[in-house]
Amino acid sequence: MDIFDIIGPVMIGPSSSHTAGAVRLGNLARSILGEEPKKAKITLFNSFAKTGRGHGTDKAVIAGLLGFMPDDERIKTAFEEAHERGLQYQLFAEESGEGLHPNTVSFELEGATKKTQVTGCSIGGGRVKVTAIDGFEVELSGDYPTIITVHKDRPGIVALVTALLAERGINIAQMRVSRKKKGQEALMMIESDEKLPGEIKEVLGNIKDIYRVITFSE
Amino acid sequence: MISTIEELVATAEKRGCKISTLVKELEAKSTGKSEEELFQRMRSFLQVMKEAADKGVSQEIRSVSGITGGEGLKMWNAVDRSLLGRTAAMAAARAMAVSNVNASMGKIVAAPTAGSCGILPGAILTVGERLSKTEDEMVDSLFTAAAVGKIIALHATLSGAEGGCQAECGSASAMAAAAVVELAGGTPRQAAHAVAMALKAVMGLVCDPVAGLVEVPCVKRNAMGAVEAILAADMAMAGIESVIPADEVIEAMKEVGCMMSYKLRETAMGGVAATPTGKKLSEKI
């Protein structure tokens, strides 16, 4: 905790969890898609659904999808901005999302070439956590440079990836591997301490049995 | 690392320096950033605070929900009639102005939260202006406020959902009280007494936002918090001491937060949120 966690951040109001956090979640969903979103189906759950309109949570998630930061004054007019940029969105509210964090949002996104589903929650003070990507359980803060791979669930993939990172002096801060079923697709997420070199996405993408690589830095 | 108000005050006293001087030095050391870089960042925050305050006292800013709006402007227009005097009235006006900007989806600095974002700007900008302080001195006082907030966060909480409004607006008020003492030339010891008195004044204050929105009673509580901070600073600089030391008050605040029903911690199920009018407004939104 540094002093700018106490005074700061500069943000668009009215709520760090329901507005700033919602923008961050939209940002992360956009980064995970990896291209400009063209279509978005967004569902707000629980407290996000109940008090979202008054907190501008609906505008905030759209603003995040457009790539605006939490202190961008265009958040207030995000619906109009989305219209201008050709983002078609549908917003749904689900007040009884059982088993979900009070401030949860899920995105179904489509870009020109890619599709993704992202679920995340706003955990207070503008901090967020992505909890699922394309049906895989994850735990992603977005506070670190991030690598996500979707690959075949077989021995050796994790070792190959971590070796390539070690060669480049990249230290892993957090890491998690999850799969839906043994031997099928698995997802690995890595949060690193160091900035990611531009080539890393291609290098990892060339590994046999890695189907997809997503990288982003906040 | 300094983790209590007592350590903060004792170290500043031993060094014969202001709390903010110490905080800037320690923060530079722990983050690896230069004091200049930290100072410029804090300066940019003061700038955002000032812009929000100016905006909210010069125009009627309505919230997104429409429940609140224009309080900052109304108070600003009434400062010359204020019984408390211009300083208190202007601090209240600015605090509500910033809160109005927040509720309208405008730009603010969370200090320490968005719900309590008017208190520090209300108190510091007004006292700074009243005493003809430089912008640098006001920026410095924000470091003192941040240090107090950091210590509260370490031992208790700054979140209304965890500790009620005492933890949010109460902490903002305590932070502002310390900042005002420093700005007005008081001692680090007096700043600590001001912190204790400000927190004690709202011990047990619940977080009861109507319809769950940061508007009622939040906008007006920001006004109260700013004025209370200045009063706590005045009392401390008059030589009045808090019988209970600030660190113990912080611990007590935490305990009270733990004893508080979840209905009184930002869930909009108690306090004014649960009144007939509060419920009616909630249904409308």
Side-chain angles (χ1 to χ4, degrees), chain B residues 66-84:
Chain B
I67 303 180
T68 58
E71 289 84 1
L73 176 64
K74 274 188 192 152
M75 194 70 213
W76 192 256
N77 289 338
V79 294
D80 290 328
R81 307 197 296 272
S82 167
L83 298 172
L84 279 173

Side-chain angles (χ1 to χ4, degrees), chain A residues 71-146:
Chain A
D71 65 347
D72 194 318
E73 288 183 281
R74 291 173 299 175
I75 293 168
K76 201 173 174 175
T77 53
F79 293 159
E80 292 82 355
E81 299 278 346
H83 186 72
E84 265 170 43
R85 299 252 299 259
L87 168 64
Q88 292 176 29
Y89 61 87
Q90 288 176 284
L91 278 159
F92 300 91
E94 180 56 69
E95 292 197 10
S96 52
E98 265 182 57
L100 292 173
H101 184 279
N103 302 326
T104 296
V105 55
S106 75
F107 300 90
E108 284 178 41
L109 301 182
E110 256 185 75
T113 64
K114 297 172 193 165
K115 278 186 188 183
T116 193
Q117 284 183 26
V118 177
T119 303
C121 52
S122 178
I123 56 177
R127 282 171 305 128
V128 300
K129 199 164 74 176
V130 171
T131 53
I133 299 173
D134 294 339
F136 292 101
E137 273 181 37
V138 298
E139 205 180 315
L140 197 69
S141 67
D143 294 338
Y144 300 84
T146 302

Side-chain angles (χ1 to χ4, degrees), chain A residues 20-53:
Chain A
V23 176
R24 290 273 294 135
L25 286 164
N27 288 156
L28 284 171
R30 175 191 170 90
S31 297
I32 291 164
L33 178 67
E35 62 184 24
E36 190 70 32
K38 291 286 161 207
K39 278 188 190 169
K41 195 179 147 193
I42 303 148
T43 311
L44 301 174
F45 292 94
N46 302 337
S47 172
F48 261 13
K50 272 183 220 155
T51 66
R53 246 192 66 213

Side-chain angles (χ1 to χ4, degrees), chain B residues 18-29:
Chain B
K18 294 200 276 188
I19 290 176
S20 59
T21 308
L22 182 63
V23 174
K24 282 186 286 185
E25 210 180 285
L26 292 172
E27 198 66 16
K29 218 180 272 174

Side-chain angles (χ1 to χ4, degrees), chain A residues 2-3 6-8 11 13-14 55 76, chain B residues 27 45 102 104 106 108 110 112 212:
Chain A
D2 70 40
I3 49 168
I6 306 295
I7 296 188
M11 56 168 272
H55 280 131
K76 201 173 174 175
Chain B
E27 198 66 16
F45 285 7
N102 181 55
S104 76
I108 55 97

